Amino acid sequence: MRVPTDADLDALAATTGQQLLVARHMLVTAESCTGGWIAKCMTDIAGSSAWFDCGMAAYSYEAKQALLGVRPQTLETHGAVSRECVVEMVSGALVHSGASIAVAVTGIAGPGGGSDDKPVGTVWVGWKKRGGYARAEVFHFEGDRDAVRRQTVATALRGVAQLLVA
């Protein structure tokens, strides 16, 4: 995957926002490794209050538990960078917001923090519509911290767009 530029992310956010508006959905983001970058991209678009509810940057285990309802046993058993964690994050984002669609991301952007099981660039992304089932997918992005985070933002937004037409 080519690393998205600021212009790429702006265009993707504008398109996704327009799709949310037409479909009459509100978006919530639950972000760990991107630290609020998805929410920033979305709210950079004028008029985003018509389709963006809120964003939660939950970096620590404690924040994931307090803001998103991630269970301590999930974090102890599977870790923050796991399918189980991102599913609880995306579900918790909907519970703790007025949104109808959620996206959540958790991963290892680097340069440190990776392991043999979960190398730098490992990112889980989850998407969910209110009343539906969560979908989660793991990605293995390459590049430095900025590249991993940019690819994560783009992937998260593309998934929101796909969820809108599903």
Side-chain angles (χ1 to χ4, degrees):
M1 170 186 268
R2 182 180 69 78
V3 177
T5 64
D6 287 345
D8 294 333
L9 295 177
D10 289 346
L12 189 53
T15 300
T16 304
Q18 186 59 37
Q19 291 171 311
L20 286 161
L21 181 65
V22 168
R24 297 178 178 240
H25 280 287
M26 294 291 283
L27 178 68
V28 59
T29 62
E31 303 180 63
S32 187
C33 62
T34 50
W37 200 339
I38 301 166
K40 181 220 180 293
C41 284
M42 297 305 279
T43 58
D44 279 349
I45 307 303
S48 59
S49 60
W51 41 264
F52 187 82
D53 184 55
C54 63
M56 297 171 223
Y59 219 70
S60 70
Y61 275 26
E62 292 79 8
K64 286 175 179 66
Q65 292 171 51
L67 296 175
L68 299 167
V70 175
R71 298 174 305 138
Q73 65 219 70
T74 298
L75 295 167
E76 291 167 14
T77 304
H78 304 285
V81 182
S82 65
R83 180 186 194 288
E84 293 80 4
C85 183
V86 84
V87 166
E88 290 184 19
M89 288 173 67
V90 78
S91 297
L94 285 172
V95 167
H96 294 97
S97 73
S100 52
I101 289 189
V103 61
V105 298
T106 183
I108 304 163
S115 67
D116 288 342
D117 290 347
K118 298 175 186 178
V120 169
T122 302
V123 177
W124 278 94
V125 184
W127 302 270
K128 185 175 180 179
K129 276 187 186 176
R130 187 173 296 281
Y133 293 104
R135 180 171 70 88
E137 192 172 342
V138 66
F139 298 88
H140 299 282
F141 299 123
E142 294 190 12
D144 63 10
R145 182 176 182 81
D146 187 68
V148 169
R149 295 174 78 205
R150 285 176 178 278
Q151 291 169 87
T152 300
V153 172
T155 299
L157 292 177
R158 285 188 194 105
V160 169
Q162 289 174 353
L163 191 60
L164 288 167
V165 297

